[in-house]
Amino acid sequence: MKAIALIKTGNAATAFEVREIAKPQPQKGEVLIKVDTFGLNFADVMARKGMYKDAPPLPAILGYDVAGTVDAIGENVSTLKIGDRVTAMTRFGGYAEYAVTNASAVAVIPDNIDNATATALTTQYCTAYYAAAEMVNLHEGDKVLIQAGAGGVGTALIQYAKYKKCEIFATAGSDTKLNYLSSLGVHHPINYATQDFEIEIKNLIGEGKGVDVIFDAVGGKSVKKGFRLLAPGGRIVCYGAADLTNKNLFGKLKAVLDFGLYHPLMLIALSKAIIGINMLHIADDKPSVLNRCLEEVVQLTSQGVFTPTLSKVFNAVDIAAAHEYLEKRKSIGKVVMRWS
Ligand SMILES: NC(=O)c1ccc[n+]([C@@H]2O[C@H](COP(=O)([O-])OP(=O)(O)OC[C@H]3O[C@@H](n4cnc5c(N)ncnc54)[C@H](OP(=O)(O)O)[C@@H]3O)[C@@H](O)[C@H]2O)c1
């Protein structure tokens, strides 16, 4: 089968090679999926740049999410059958014509969801759902700030916050993306490339008031400012550090320090919480939680609550162009690759 191997960290143009490798075999509890579409995630960009510590050693087949059909089933799998059309979270290995994964990370796709759309559901929508529904439990009227709202996870968070009737503040880095945020129903879109989001939000809600929940995958000073914006009872969910991308060592160290230092006594005194999320660790340590989130996400998509935005569908062999597109912040919603 064909697979796209990351052979060298650095620029997208020289990082990948399409290789012929052996088709994987499903072990106990696993299924083999014939991949039609696979997705890109920002973590792939971090892995390609050598900044992702969970990534496998080179040459590595990246890829967290695939959609296609079940091709073979390992022992002890009773929930799926050969021929089922499915979406799945892969623990790497998604950039390939066939991928194996644990059955708990696989969901059957209803007829009203196509494969490309389903590709967005496993990593990006599950992360958003786990963060917003399980870790935070949004309520009607909550003031919610979603950083980098026009991205894959950002879009999912906005759609969930809208479903929960929250007042939504969301940031993005261009006017095109701001228009997109408005189209999703964001009440207060903010261009964080040209405006200081902390000042803008203080102006909107009034000095001395705060927001209830913040979702932040930008990191660095964005977290420090966000923490200051929280009202008592407020929670900031940290799930990424995009700010560390494309910085030299000194810049990275500065960004790490910019997050700020927080002591539990300070959290008690202020009645604020900081939550960290790593979906890979949830998938590894709590497969039933991932399965619950995935089933719920598929349901909500089938009902039209979640409507993933497909930014662009690339041919699988155009992986370098797709990586550049994501890295250069051109994407809105999900970047999908298709074998054809
Ligand atoms: N912890 C977890 O389990 C988990 C799971 C999934 C995703 N994540 C994280 O969540 C974030 C979103 O992931 P995604 O796959 O949905 O990606 P994405 O949001 O579709 O794409 C990344 C976006 O981040 C924004 N950004 C901010 N600073 C950036 C920088 N220095 N360089 C490039 N982009 C920057 C850009 O939007 P603007 O142009 O609007 O700034 C860009 O479009 C990523 O940080 C990812 O690592 C974490």
Side-chain angles (χ1 to χ4, degrees), residues 281-292:
H281 292 203
I282 299 301
D284 285 349
D285 299 344
K286 296 192 165 50
S288 62
V289 173
L290 175 69
N291 187 262
R292 182 170 74 215

Side-chain angles (χ1 to χ4, degrees), residues 187-259:
H187 304 93
H188 311 288
I190 299 164
N191 187 334
Y192 61 3
T194 56
Q195 293 165 292
D196 182 323
F197 75 84
E198 187 184 5
I199 295 173
E200 289 303 311
I201 293 174
K202 274 188 182 152
N203 287 341
L204 285 164
I205 61 178
E207 197 61 45
K209 300 239 168 58
V211 298
D212 300 299
V213 179
I214 300 175
F215 297 102
D216 189 303
V218 175
K221 63 178 180 297
S222 169
V223 168
K224 194 191 276 175
K225 288 176 170 206
F227 187 80
R228 287 198 297 248
L229 272 176
L230 288 178
R235 293 138 284 165
I236 181 163
V237 182
C238 298
Y239 64 100
D243 190 38
L244 268 63
T245 325
N246 293 328
K247 283 195 157 86
N248 60 22
L249 185 62
F250 178 72
K252 283 192 178 81
L253 279 173
K254 183 174 177 324
V256 168
L257 291 174
D258 280 346
F259 271 83

Side-chain angles (χ1 to χ4, degrees), residues 40-46 52 64 123-124 127-128 147-155 171-174 177 192-193 216-218 238-247 276-282 325-335:
L40 291 201
N41 288 281
F42 197 72
D44 300 6
V45 173
M46 305 280 267
Y52 195 59
Y64 291 118
T123 307
Q124 292 173 331
T127 301
Q147 303 284 18
V153 182
T155 297
T171 57
S174 72
K177 290 184 179 183
Y192 61 3
D216 189 303
V218 175
C238 298
Y239 64 100
D243 190 38
L244 268 63
T245 325
N246 293 328
K247 283 195 157 86
I277 288 179
N278 182 331
M279 278 318 272
L280 272 192
H281 292 203
I282 299 301
Y325 177 76
L326 182 57
E327 182 184 352
K328 302 227 161 106
R329 306 164 92 138
K330 291 184 183 153
S331 62
I332 289 182
K334 182 72 179 169
V335 180

Side-chain angles (χ1 to χ4, degrees), residues 63-94:
Y64 291 118
D65 30 43
V66 300
T69 46
V70 174
D71 195 69
I73 287 180
E75 277 174 55
N76 286 4
V77 177
S78 56
T79 48
L80 296 155
K81 59 182 188 315
I82 290 172
D84 279 347
R85 198 167 63 88
V86 293
T87 184
M89 183 191 270
T90 45
R91 185 68 162 86
F92 303 102

